[in-house]
Amino acid sequence: YMTYLITGATGNLGEKVTRWLRTMTPETNIRVGIHNLKKADKFSDLAVEKVKLDYFDLNTLKEAVAGVDLVIYIPSITYNLQKRITEFENVLQVVKEAKSKLIFVSFFADQENNPFVMSPFYAYVPRRLASSGIEYSIIKNSLYADPLVPYIEELIKRKNIIYPVGAEPLSFITRNDSAHAIACLAMQPVMRDQGQTYLLSMAKNYNMVELSYIMSRITDHKIGYAPVTTDEFAKIYAAEGDGKELASMYAGGAKGLLSATSDDFHRLTGREPEEMEHFLRNGYQIARL
């Protein structure tokens, strides 16, 4: 039977991928790579092997990948381009040496004219994989819908969505759906290993007027759409540490570069992705309990 390694396993997505995969494969053949072993108790209820994994320590990487058939590589959350590329190169080196297969969990803001600061990374990796000689597949997420739920309270106070994307729609997927599709891909050899690329999204995208209507309906508060400039957006969220980076991402959105949808989710899972109103309504109600 196959053995799997999930990197970034204690992150929001990594943990969900681990839990989905565990439901699909009965043996104790899942290894989770954990940067900070203090977080390993997240998996105290799961039969998984926990290993230390530091992207910048080749020895921990080699030990983590040893004997693994398929590595699900979820990149770290850093906006340092050089570090992110080095991290990937280290993973690739070790995966090649171990003759493992790879699923790269990517992001759809990878176009050559996309001003998002991390788009060079997401554009580089597929080209690098294509010439690497390893068996791989790529799964691109659209924007996560999940951060919208805690954001709703702020939007009620603001009375407006403020994303600087103009009339352009944005495309979303929930983390739970993304994780389900990644686990399904891992379990389906026929769907992977040949350089295939999948895009995970809801069935439709949403412009900000549509999104504000949905939020108004589920909250019973009037929420409109009044975009700020990208510079203003960067300033508003500067204190959270990623204002500039997020602003660069939405600058791509304003060019229509964050709007792509596909039915790949259905092809991988056999079900429909959770749609926005249902997801936000449930999340909002749970948050208020």
Side-chain angles (χ1 to χ4, degrees):
Y1 59 83
M2 296 271 298
T3 51
Y4 302 95
L5 169 70
I6 299 158
T7 77
T10 53
N12 288 327
L13 182 65
E15 183 183 352
K16 287 182 164 66
V17 173
T18 306
R19 291 186 180 280
W20 271 111
L21 200 55
R22 180 76 289 155
T23 66
M24 297 175 187
T25 173
E27 305 90 355
T28 50
N29 57 343
I30 298 174
R31 192 179 287 174
V32 292
I34 300 172
H35 186 71
N36 178 359
L37 282 174
K38 285 179 186 152
K39 294 182 178 173
D41 57 359
K42 268 193 175 187
F43 300 113
S44 55
D45 60 325
L46 282 191
V48 293
E49 184 192 352
K50 306 169 192 89
V51 294
K52 168 101 175 127
L53 190 155
D54 181 338
Y55 287 126
F56 301 100
D57 177 345
L58 280 172
N59 290 328
T60 70
L61 266 177
K62 279 176 182 155
E63 282 168 31
V65 174
V68 166
D69 297 303
L70 178 67
V71 175
I72 299 171
Y73 165 49
I74 302 172
S76 61
I77 299 170
T78 164
Y79 289 113
N80 181 321
L81 201 55
Q82 288 309 124
K83 268 184 98 165
R84 189 86 83 89
I85 287 173
T86 305
E87 160 191 313
F88 161 71
E89 287 292 342
N90 289 347
V91 170
L92 180 60
Q93 181 188 328
V94 171
V95 166
K96 267 186 97 156
E97 284 167 13
K99 296 186 166 53
S100 305
K101 303 173 196 298
L102 182 77
I103 292 175
F104 171 50
V105 179
S106 187
F107 183 54
F108 72 158
D110 57 357
Q111 305 92 340
E112 60 190 32
N113 61 334
N114 197 316
F116 178 41
V117 290
M118 293 313 293
S119 84
F121 170 75
Y122 292 113
Y124 170 80
V125 173
R127 288 157 177 77
R128 185 73 176 88
L129 287 172
S131 61
S132 67
I134 69 165
E135 294 181 30
Y136 71 94
S137 47
I138 295 167
I139 203 153
K140 296 184 194 185
N141 283 312
S142 49
L143 294 157
Y144 291 134
D146 303 60
L148 291 174
V149 173
Y151 193 35
I152 288 173
E153 288 301 332
E154 181 184 326
L155 295 179
I156 290 170
K157 290 193 189 88
R158 286 187 180 280
K159 297 188 166 55
N160 285 301
I161 291 175
I162 61 168
Y163 292 133
V165 294
E168 294 296 335
L170 300 178
S171 180
F172 295 88
I173 188 80
T174 68
R175 276 202 192 99
N176 183 57
D177 279 351
S178 170
H180 185 201
I182 292 164
C184 286
L185 181 61
M187 296 300 295
Q188 295 285 349
V190 71
M191 301 296 278
R192 57 173 164 76
D193 309 337
Q194 309 297 317
Q196 300 98 320
T197 299
Y198 299 98
L199 169 63
L200 302 181
S201 73
M202 293 177 179
K204 66 183 291 292
N205 55 28
Y206 298 87
N207 70 31
M208 297 307 96
V209 173
E210 292 173 298
L211 195 58
S212 65
Y213 278 139
I214 291 172
M215 288 183 169
S216 299
R217 268 202 299 278
I218 64 173
T219 61
D220 287 327
H221 288 271
K222 178 78 184 78
I223 296 173
Y225 178 43
V228 295
T229 65
T230 16
D231 287 348
E232 281 174 87
F233 192 88
K235 286 188 191 117
I236 291 168
Y237 297 106
E240 289 167 34
D242 57 0
K244 259 206 199 106
E245 291 80 8
L246 286 176
S248 75
M249 185 178 77
Y250 290 119
K255 291 182 162 199
L257 299 175
L258 300 180
S259 63
T261 58
S262 89
D263 60 356
D264 290 345
F265 177 83
H266 184 271
R267 291 181 194 282
L268 290 170
T269 65
R271 69 177 178 90
E272 296 303 324
E274 186 173 9
E275 60 89 40
M276 184 64 86
E277 182 151 359
H278 185 266
F279 174 73
L280 289 183
R281 189 179 293 280
N282 280 358
Y284 181 66
Q285 283 168 350
I286 289 164
R288 297 185 76 208
L289 291 177

